[in-house]
């Protein structure tokens, strides 16, 4: 039986994210706000190494958007503590597309949650 591994893109107002992650240096968007900026922002794949190690983590990232809506780069503002998990978020965010407009920076939180290992889960 496969264990359920969750990747949570915070859903709810950014005030909740600010309470969870502390006061950001720039405005953090999440949930519905994130979907207003990005067109179908797919969550990152939970890395195998993280599943095997039963790692969980939370982080905050900054995406830099071009006028065409492409993500030109992603900065790690608050690391999840495991580079492989941060890399998965950066890879996923680099594939996101935003609605065209002026260049901007968007801060977003991401959480990986792995349940306890159960026999035969991997």
């Amino acid at each position: 039986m496969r264990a359920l591994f969750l990747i949570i893109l915070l859903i709810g107002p950014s005030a909740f994210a600010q309470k969870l992650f502390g006061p950001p240096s720039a405005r953090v968007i999440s949930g519905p706000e994130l979907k207003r900026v990005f067109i179908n922002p797919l969550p990152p794949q939970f890395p195998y190494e993280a599943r095997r190690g039963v790692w969980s983590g939370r982080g905050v990232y900054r995406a830099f958007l071009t006028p065409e809506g492409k993500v030109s780069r992603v900065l790690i503002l608050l690391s999840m503590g495991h580079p492989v998990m941060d890399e998965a978020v950066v890879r996923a965010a680099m594939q996101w597309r935003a609605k065209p407009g002026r260049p901007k920076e968007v801060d977003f939180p991401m959480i990986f949650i792995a349940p306890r290992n159960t026999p035969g889960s991997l």
Side-chain angles (χ1 to χ4, degrees):
M1 182 173 163
R2 294 171 72 175
L4 174 64
F5 290 95
L6 294 178
I7 300 173
I8 299 177
L9 187 60
L10 284 180
I11 298 176
S14 60
F16 174 75
Q18 290 176 13
K19 285 181 185 176
L20 184 62
F21 295 105
S25 59
R27 187 166 171 260
V28 176
I29 67 168
S30 61
E33 289 179 290
L34 196 61
K35 290 185 178 188
R36 278 185 280 225
V37 174
F38 293 102
I39 302 164
N40 195 20
L42 297 175
Q45 294 290 318
F46 203 121
Y48 174 76
E49 186 178 352
R51 286 192 317 243
R52 187 170 180 208
V54 194
W55 299 340
S56 294
R58 63 183 185 184
V60 179
Y61 305 86
R62 177 172 292 157
F64 292 83
L65 305 177
T66 66
E68 297 81 27
K70 293 182 179 181
V71 177
S72 61
R73 69 184 177 131
V74 178
L75 285 180
I76 301 167
L77 300 178
L78 175 65
S79 174
M80 287 195 191
H82 299 284
V84 69
M85 292 165 62
D86 289 327
E87 290 168 11
V89 173
V90 170
R91 270 195 311 276
M94 289 296 294
Q95 302 304 311
W96 294 353
R97 295 295 173 254
K99 297 171 185 168
R102 60 184 178 81
K104 59 180 132 184
E105 301 171 11
V106 178
D107 292 359
F108 62 94
M110 189 70 65
I111 297 176
F112 281 89
I113 299 175
R116 287 186 237 173
N117 264 342
T118 56
S121 64
L122 295 177

